[in-house]
Amino acid sequence: MTAMTEQHFLSAPWQWASHLPQVATSGACQRDHADFCRDVARWQHAPLERGQDAILVDPDPWSFTCALLACWHRGVRVILPNDGQPDTLAALAGDGARLIGAQGWTPPPDAFVGPPVWGALSAEAVAIDIFTSGSSGTPQRLTKTFRQLAHETCAFSNAFPLAYGVVVSQVSLHHIYGLSAALLRALTEGLPFSLTPCRFPEDVHHYLHATSVAALVSSPAQLERLPEALDANDRPPQQVFSSGAPLSQDAAVRARRQLGCTITEIYGSSETGAIAWRDRTVASHWQPFDDTDVRADGELLCLRSPRLATSDWVTHADRVRFIDARRFELLGRADRIVKVGGKRISLEALERTLAQQPNVVKAHCVQPRSANDRIAAIVQLTPQAVPHTGTERKALIQALREGLQDAFETIALPRYFRFVEHWPVNAQGKLTRATIMRLFQDLENRDVPRWLGCTEAPDDICHITYEIPEHLRALEGHFPGLPIVPGIALVHWAMQEAKTRWPDTLTTGALERLKFPTPVRPGMRITLTLEHAPARLAFTIRSQCGQHASGRLRLKETAHD
């Protein structure tokens, strides 16, 4: 196979792809090159002033792709935010950028335009601004040139050749991994990309049975939650990639059995791009990509790669042990040492010991500002071990602390615990700083319940898990000796969550069919389910004790530019 080069990418081969049968497909629906050229041209009419950047937020892969390429070939720098929250977008727009996509300007559907203008892509020109996950601090804004994107895409193409088939992404195209390993690779190699989002296992099942899948670009959070009923043996994908966090060997073996092909893990970061790869079912060590040089600086990894912003050696914060001149094992982050009461404590050592306790699937330890310098732990449990009452929760915390006492001083033991059923990651498979802050928000704000994560399902349905802390302000006065959460607080939580999830469409109309059959008591673990439709929002609140509340809100649609 001829190696893909930087020049091939910069030539924008997607503009010459009229001979290809499909640019994008869902199996049942296709978009050809004529559709592609027409929609790129439509997006090139975005009202952007000379030198103005575009903020692109759009969950639809087709709209995202056409808008992105329209900007690039028009010479416009594109900002890809981590999320579409109003505060995030307002801060970026405050710098003078224009919002386009699902929450901003979109081309009129019936506008007549001519052919697109395929302006040249310059290697050193800035293509995108992206953001780190912020898992260890404030998200950092990173600039990526077309040269860096070219080598990121080439790394995947040259290391893992694909035959013809659709490239399906389960991760956000706003992240460097999803953008390069899925979308840009498909465009550059002349492969169709997935026309519809593929967020749920049902979507994976659809693509595997509807068409030939060349690659499934995924993450540990999604691969670890594949249902047992998923069977891809009739038409498995050619290759599956995972990135964002380490994939356990058990999860890799299970995913390989269910999907019927090798699971290739990619190690890298937003700052560095792809560094190395491995097949977890074969070995635990990592193999660098051919164009990446690696060495050790003490225990720290040093690398040199065309995907970096510099041609010099860069020291990474990961600790490594080299097996030979090229292959290495990861030993954890060097920057995860904290001080509590003057004692130096390794958060990673604490996590490893926590993960060895009965019924613990995964653990992550942090030192949030709201915890007064004490350590807090996010712990994923097996389903049968999840506590549903305050009494069960206290007993579990006591058992976990006792399991840690032989290895750690008392002051090092986590003071605050958040027990989750699913690992609370974003669309890039990352546990972000914003998510960590929300998990412990109730320590600073007595008006909010203890948020424990959200799982989403098709058709605009989501399930949010809460615990009711005993210090919740809404419990005051309701009632002495037998505290309950007032119904108005439950409705308020439902409305706040809905406005967070659908900020561009939600304004509240009338409340209907409100019912509160069973009180919500302190210590309870409850699930708020939201079902969003254009004209209404239905909500229910349940626990192991049954249903506690239900209702419906009539909605008014808000217009946006």
Side-chain angles (χ1 to χ4, degrees):
M1 184 194 80
T2 303
M4 183 173 291
T5 65
E6 173 186 322
Q7 286 306 313
H8 178 69
F9 179 93
L10 294 175
S11 72
W14 47 84
Q15 65 180 301
W16 312 113
S18 58
H19 64 286
L20 297 175
Q22 301 169 341
V23 175
T25 183
S26 66
C29 182
Q30 290 82 34
R31 294 285 187 271
D32 62 19
H33 195 257
D35 299 323
F36 176 63
C37 290
R38 181 196 64 236
D39 285 353
V40 169
R42 290 170 61 230
W43 280 98
Q44 285 190 326
H45 284 72
L48 296 166
E49 299 176 4
R50 182 179 294 275
Q52 186 177 28
D53 297 338
I55 307 165
L56 175 55
V57 179
D58 204 311
D60 179 75
W62 180 258
S63 295
F64 176 92
T65 303
C66 294
L68 178 73
L69 297 182
C71 289
W72 280 357
H73 287 284
R74 192 176 152 182
V76 174
R77 175 179 184 151
V78 178
I79 302 169
L80 302 179
N82 261 358
D83 58 62
Q85 295 302 312
D87 289 349
T88 302
L89 302 181
L92 293 172
D95 293 334
R98 174 69 185 252
L99 178 61
I100 66 172
Q103 298 184 42
W105 183 89
T106 57
D110 55 352
F112 174 78
V113 294
V117 177
W118 298 109
L121 306 182
S122 173
E124 300 308 322
V126 173
I128 57 171
D129 284 0
I130 59 172
F131 295 81
T132 62
S133 64
S135 56
S136 58
T138 303
Q140 299 298 306
R141 187 167 174 168
L142 304 171
T143 292
K144 297 289 183 179
T145 64
F146 285 108
R147 174 185 60 80
Q148 289 173 278
L149 292 184
H151 285 280
E152 185 79 9
T153 306
C154 291
F156 288 101
S157 295
N158 294 331
F160 309 108
L162 296 174
Y164 190 80
V166 63
V167 179
V168 177
S169 181
Q170 285 194 283
V171 300
S172 171
L173 301 179
H174 288 71
H175 187 267
I176 188 67
Y177 166 56
L179 180 66
S180 57
L183 179 62
L184 295 182
R185 177 170 190 185
L187 290 170
T188 307
E189 294 188 37
L191 303 175
F193 61 87
S194 46
L195 186 58
T196 56
C198 188
R199 298 163 57 195
F200 306 108
E202 297 89 341
D203 302 320
V204 176
H205 183 272
H206 164 77
Y207 272 101
L208 291 176
H209 285 76
T211 186
S212 176
V213 175
L216 176 65
V217 179
S218 190
S219 72
Q222 288 147 328
L223 294 175
E224 289 169 359
R225 291 168 61 182
L226 291 174
E228 287 293 342
L230 181 67
D231 182 6
N233 290 328
D234 291 339
R235 190 187 289 186
Q238 295 177 39
Q239 297 188 33
V240 177
F241 299 97
S242 175
S243 188
L247 185 66
S248 69
Q249 185 172 25
D250 288 346
V253 170
R254 180 170 172 266
R256 179 171 184 163
R257 171 174 53 81
Q258 290 180 275
L259 292 171
C261 71
T262 298
I263 313 297
T264 302
E265 280 188 89
I266 306 298
Y267 164 57
S269 67
S270 299
E271 298 95 328
T272 64
I275 298 172
W277 60 272
R278 71 177 178 183
D279 176 357
R280 189 70 176 86
T281 63
V282 175
S284 62
H285 63 257
W286 296 89
Q287 175 70 46
F289 285 92
D290 288 345
D291 61 357
T292 302
D293 297 324
V294 292
R295 70 186 187 191
D297 180 6
E299 279 195 324
L300 298 182
L301 175 66
C302 281
L303 65 144
R304 186 170 56 186
S305 155
R307 288 174 285 288
L308 295 170
T310 175
S311 59
D312 295 333
W313 286 89
V314 170
T315 301
H316 204 273
D318 284 338
R319 296 164 47 242
V320 295
R321 180 179 69 83
F322 273 82
I323 296 173
D324 54 33
R326 294 280 292 169
R327 299 175 300 162
F328 59 87
E329 292 183 336
L330 291 174
L331 303 179
R333 300 279 292 183
D335 55 2
R336 301 201 62 222
I337 303 294
V338 300
K339 278 192 174 183
V340 179
K343 303 285 187 179
R344 287 172 56 85
I345 299 163
S346 167
L347 295 180
E348 293 198 346
L350 197 56
E351 290 165 1
R352 284 195 299 271
T353 309
L354 258 178
Q356 295 168 2
Q357 304 306 306
N359 299 311
V360 174
V361 178
K362 185 185 298 186
H364 182 78
C365 293
V366 294
Q367 195 177 32
R369 182 183 60 186
S370 55
N372 297 318
D373 291 333
R374 294 298 300 269
I375 293 173
I378 304 162
V379 180
Q380 182 183 357
L381 298 167
T382 56
Q384 69 273 13
V386 172
H388 291 272
T389 67
T391 301
E392 292 176 356
R393 186 176 189 276
K394 290 175 183 177
L396 177 58
I397 290 174
Q398 180 63 27
L400 291 176
R401 287 173 62 90
E402 288 176 357
L404 297 173
Q405 283 179 343
D406 288 343
F408 299 93
E409 297 182 59
T410 300
I411 198 170
L413 304 184
R415 174 74 175 273
Y416 305 99
F417 286 83
R418 298 294 179 264
F419 298 114
V420 299
E421 297 170 69
H422 305 290
W423 203 239
V425 295
N426 66 1
Q428 291 85 32
K430 296 285 189 178
L431 176 61
T432 67
R433 181 170 178 265
T435 298
I436 293 169
M437 290 174 63
R438 187 165 190 196
L439 284 163
F440 296 96
Q441 184 182 11
D442 67 289
L443 296 180
E444 291 186 308
N445 185 354
R446 292 180 54 218
D447 292 320
V448 299
R450 187 174 291 139
W451 180 87
L452 294 173
C454 172
T455 57
E456 298 189 41
D459 302 322
D460 274 345
I461 298 174
C462 65
H463 309 280
I464 302 102
T465 302
Y466 298 120
E467 281 177 347
I468 308 302
E470 295 177 353
H471 61 254
L472 184 73
R473 198 186 308 275
L475 295 170
E476 296 176 358
H478 297 84
F479 295 94
L482 191 66
I484 65 171
V485 179
I488 189 63
L490 301 176
V491 173
H492 176 71
W493 297 345
M495 292 170 62
Q496 290 299 109
E497 287 287 355
K499 289 177 180 177
T500 298
R501 307 211 164 282
W502 302 288
D504 58 328
T505 58
L506 272 181
T507 58
T508 305
L511 287 165
E512 302 174 334
R513 302 182 183 180
L514 284 177
K515 297 179 182 179
F516 303 101
T518 309
V520 175
R521 301 287 311 279
M524 277 187 171
R525 189 182 186 95
I526 62 174
T527 299
L528 165 64
T529 298
L530 298 174
E531 299 183 45
H532 177 248
R536 65 174 177 82
L537 172 79
F539 74 91
T540 57
I541 294 177
R542 295 184 176 89
S543 76
Q544 277 199 331
C545 297
Q547 184 165 299
H548 299 278
S550 65
R552 192 169 71 180
L553 290 75
R554 280 188 295 167
L555 304 175
K556 301 174 184 177
E557 294 293 322
T558 59
H560 58 74
D561 181 15

Short mmCIF file of all heavy atoms in Angstrom, two decimals, residues 151-178:
data_model
loop_
_atom_site.label_atom_id
_atom_site.label_comp_id
_atom_site.label_asym_id
_atom_site.label_seq_id
_atom_site.Cartn_x
_atom_site.Cartn_y
_atom_site.Cartn_z
N HIS A 151 -0.82 14.93 9.52
CA HIS A 151 -0.02 13.83 10.07
C HIS A 151 -0.82 13.00 11.07
O HIS A 151 -0.54 11.80 11.24
CB HIS A 151 1.25 14.39 10.71
CG HIS A 151 2.27 14.81 9.69
ND1 HIS A 151 3.10 13.91 9.05
CD2 HIS A 151 2.56 16.03 9.16
CE1 HIS A 151 3.87 14.55 8.19
NE2 HIS A 151 3.56 15.84 8.23
N GLU A 152 -1.79 13.60 11.73
CA GLU A 152 -2.67 12.82 12.60
C GLU A 152 -3.48 11.83 11.77
O GLU A 152 -3.59 10.65 12.11
CB GLU A 152 -3.62 13.77 13.35
CG GLU A 152 -4.50 13.10 14.38
CD GLU A 152 -3.78 12.81 15.68
OE1 GLU A 152 -2.63 13.27 15.87
OE2 GLU A 152 -4.35 12.09 16.51
N THR A 153 -4.01 12.30 10.65
CA THR A 153 -4.79 11.43 9.78
C THR A 153 -3.91 10.38 9.11
O THR A 153 -4.28 9.20 9.02
CB THR A 153 -5.50 12.28 8.71
OG1 THR A 153 -6.27 13.32 9.35
CG2 THR A 153 -6.41 11.44 7.85
N CYS A 154 -2.73 10.78 8.67
CA CYS A 154 -1.80 9.84 8.02
C CYS A 154 -1.38 8.73 8.96
O CYS A 154 -1.17 7.57 8.53
CB CYS A 154 -0.58 10.58 7.49
SG CYS A 154 -0.90 11.66 6.09
N ALA A 155 -1.23 9.04 10.25
CA ALA A 155 -0.79 8.03 11.22
C ALA A 155 -1.77 6.86 11.24
O ALA A 155 -1.36 5.68 11.22
CB ALA A 155 -0.67 8.65 12.61
N PHE A 156 -3.05 7.14 11.25
CA PHE A 156 -4.05 6.08 11.25
C PHE A 156 -4.08 5.34 9.91
O PHE A 156 -4.14 4.11 9.87
CB PHE A 156 -5.44 6.66 11.56
CG PHE A 156 -5.60 7.08 12.99
CD1 PHE A 156 -5.50 8.41 13.36
CD2 PHE A 156 -5.86 6.15 13.98
CE1 PHE A 156 -5.64 8.80 14.67
CE2 PHE A 156 -6.01 6.52 15.30
CZ PHE A 156 -5.90 7.86 15.65
N SER A 157 -4.04 6.09 8.83
CA SER A 157 -4.13 5.47 7.51
C SER A 157 -2.96 4.54 7.23
O SER A 157 -3.12 3.46 6.66
CB SER A 157 -4.20 6.56 6.43
OG SER A 157 -5.39 7.30 6.55
N ASN A 158 -1.77 4.95 7.60
CA ASN A 158 -0.57 4.17 7.29
C ASN A 158 -0.39 2.98 8.24
O ASN A 158 0.14 1.94 7.84
CB ASN A 158 0.66 5.07 7.33
CG ASN A 158 0.64 6.11 6.23
OD1 ASN A 158 0.06 5.89 5.16
ND2 ASN A 158 1.26 7.26 6.47
N ALA A 159 -0.81 3.12 9.49
CA ALA A 159 -0.63 2.03 10.45
C ALA A 159 -1.73 0.98 10.34
O ALA A 159 -1.50 -0.21 10.59
CB ALA A 159 -0.59 2.58 11.87
N PHE A 160 -2.93 1.41 9.96
CA PHE A 160 -4.08 0.50 9.97
C PHE A 160 -4.87 0.64 8.66
O PHE A 160 -5.92 1.30 8.63
CB PHE A 160 -4.98 0.79 11.17
CG PHE A 160 -4.24 0.85 12.47
CD1 PHE A 160 -4.04 2.07 13.11
CD2 PHE A 160 -3.73 -0.30 13.05
CE1 PHE A 160 -3.36 2.13 14.30
CE2 PHE A 160 -3.04 -0.24 14.25
CZ PHE A 160 -2.85 0.98 14.89
N PRO A 161 -4.40 0.06 7.56
CA PRO A 161 -5.09 0.18 6.27
C PRO A 161 -6.50 -0.41 6.35
O PRO A 161 -6.75 -1.37 7.08
CB PRO A 161 -4.22 -0.62 5.31
CG PRO A 161 -2.89 -0.75 6.00
CD PRO A 161 -3.17 -0.75 7.46
N LEU A 162 -7.41 0.19 5.58
CA LEU A 162 -8.79 -0.26 5.55
C LEU A 162 -9.21 -0.59 4.13
O LEU A 162 -8.80 0.08 3.18
CB LEU A 162 -9.73 0.83 6.08
CG LEU A 162 -9.58 1.25 7.55
CD1 LEU A 162 -10.50 2.43 7.83
CD2 LEU A 162 -9.90 0.08 8.48
N ALA A 163 -10.03 -1.63 3.98
CA ALA A 163 -10.71 -1.86 2.72
C ALA A 163 -11.96 -0.98 2.69
O ALA A 163 -12.27 -0.28 3.66
CB ALA A 163 -11.08 -3.34 2.59
N TYR A 164 -12.70 -1.04 1.60
CA TYR A 164 -13.83 -0.14 1.45
C TYR A 164 -14.94 -0.48 2.45
O TYR A 164 -15.22 -1.63 2.73
CB TYR A 164 -14.41 -0.20 0.04
CG TYR A 164 -15.43 0.88 -0.23
CD1 TYR A 164 -15.02 2.17 -0.56
CD2 TYR A 164 -16.78 0.63 -0.13
CE1 TYR A 164 -15.95 3.17 -0.80
CE2 TYR A 164 -17.72 1.62 -0.36
CZ TYR A 164 -17.30 2.89 -0.70
OH TYR A 164 -18.23 3.89 -0.91
N GLY A 165 -15.54 0.55 3.02
CA GLY A 165 -16.64 0.42 3.97
C GLY A 165 -16.83 1.73 4.69
O GLY A 165 -15.99 2.64 4.61
N VAL A 166 -17.92 1.84 5.43
CA VAL A 166 -18.22 3.09 6.12
C VAL A 166 -17.38 3.20 7.39
O VAL A 166 -17.11 2.21 8.07
CB VAL A 166 -19.72 3.19 6.45
CG1 VAL A 166 -20.17 2.09 7.40
CG2 VAL A 166 -20.06 4.55 7.05
N VAL A 167 -16.91 4.42 7.70
CA VAL A 167 -16.18 4.70 8.94
C VAL A 167 -17.18 5.31 9.92
O VAL A 167 -17.71 6.40 9.69
CB VAL A 167 -15.00 5.66 8.70
CG1 VAL A 167 -14.28 5.94 10.02
CG2 VAL A 167 -14.04 5.07 7.68
N VAL A 168 -17.46 4.58 11.00
CA VAL A 168 -18.48 4.96 11.97
C VAL A 168 -17.80 5.48 13.23
O VAL A 168 -16.89 4.84 13.76
CB VAL A 168 -19.38 3.76 12.31
CG1 VAL A 168 -20.40 4.13 13.38
CG2 VAL A 168 -20.08 3.25 11.06
N SER A 169 -18.24 6.65 13.71
CA SER A 169 -17.65 7.22 14.91
C SER A 169 -18.66 7.27 16.04
O SER A 169 -19.77 7.80 15.87
CB SER A 169 -17.12 8.64 14.65
OG SER A 169 -16.54 9.17 15.83
N GLN A 170 -18.28 6.73 17.19
CA GLN A 170 -19.08 6.87 18.40
C GLN A 170 -18.62 8.04 19.25
O GLN A 170 -19.26 8.36 20.25
CB GLN A 170 -19.00 5.59 19.23
CG GLN A 170 -19.82 4.43 18.68
CD GLN A 170 -19.98 3.34 19.70
OE1 GLN A 170 -19.06 2.57 19.96
NE2 GLN A 170 -21.15 3.28 20.33
N VAL A 171 -17.52 8.67 18.88
CA VAL A 171 -16.99 9.77 19.67
C VAL A 171 -17.23 11.08 18.93
O VAL A 171 -17.45 11.11 17.72
CB VAL A 171 -15.48 9.59 19.96
CG1 VAL A 171 -15.24 8.31 20.75
CG2 VAL A 171 -14.67 9.58 18.68
N SER A 172 -17.18 12.16 19.66
CA SER A 172 -17.49 13.47 19.10
C SER A 172 -16.46 13.87 18.04
O SER A 172 -15.26 13.69 18.22
CB SER A 172 -17.51 14.52 20.22
OG SER A 172 -17.60 15.82 19.68
N LEU A 173 -16.96 14.44 16.96
CA LEU A 173 -16.07 14.97 15.92
C LEU A 173 -15.44 16.28 16.35
O LEU A 173 -14.57 16.81 15.64
CB LEU A 173 -16.85 15.17 14.62
CG LEU A 173 -17.52 13.91 14.05
CD1 LEU A 173 -18.27 14.23 12.77
CD2 LEU A 173 -16.49 12.81 13.80
N HIS A 174 -15.83 16.81 17.49
CA HIS A 174 -15.23 18.03 18.02
C HIS A 174 -13.90 17.74 18.72
O HIS A 174 -13.22 18.67 19.15
CB HIS A 174 -16.17 18.71 19.02
CG HIS A 174 -17.36 19.36 18.37
ND1 HIS A 174 -18.39 18.62 17.81
CD2 HIS A 174 -17.68 20.66 18.19
CE1 HIS A 174 -19.28 19.45 17.32
NE2 HIS A 174 -18.89 20.68 17.53
N HIS A 175 -13.55 16.47 18.86
CA HIS A 175 -12.30 16.07 19.52
C HIS A 175 -11.31 15.61 18.46
O HIS A 175 -11.70 15.05 17.43
CB HIS A 175 -12.58 14.94 20.51
CG HIS A 175 -11.41 14.57 21.36
ND1 HIS A 175 -10.55 13.56 21.01
CD2 HIS A 175 -10.96 15.08 22.53
CE1 HIS A 175 -9.61 13.46 21.95
NE2 HIS A 175 -9.83 14.36 22.87
N ILE A 176 -10.03 15.82 18.69
CA ILE A 176 -9.00 15.51 17.69
C ILE A 176 -9.02 14.04 17.30
O ILE A 176 -8.80 13.69 16.13
CB ILE A 176 -7.59 15.92 18.22
CG1 ILE A 176 -6.54 15.79 17.13
CG2 ILE A 176 -7.22 15.14 19.46
CD1 ILE A 176 -6.71 16.76 15.99
N TYR A 177 -9.34 13.15 18.22
CA TYR A 177 -9.39 11.72 17.93
C TYR A 177 -10.53 11.38 16.98
O TYR A 177 -10.34 10.74 15.94
CB TYR A 177 -9.50 10.95 19.25
CG TYR A 177 -9.89 9.50 19.15
CD1 TYR A 177 -9.17 8.61 18.37
CD2 TYR A 177 -10.99 9.02 19.87
CE1 TYR A 177 -9.52 7.27 18.31
CE2 TYR A 177 -11.36 7.69 19.81
CZ TYR A 177 -10.63 6.81 19.02
OH TYR A 177 -11.00 5.50 18.97
N GLY A 178 -11.75 11.81 17.30
CA GLY A 178 -12.87 11.55 16.42
C GLY A 178 -12.74 12.24 15.08
O GLY A 178 -13.07 11.68 14.03
#
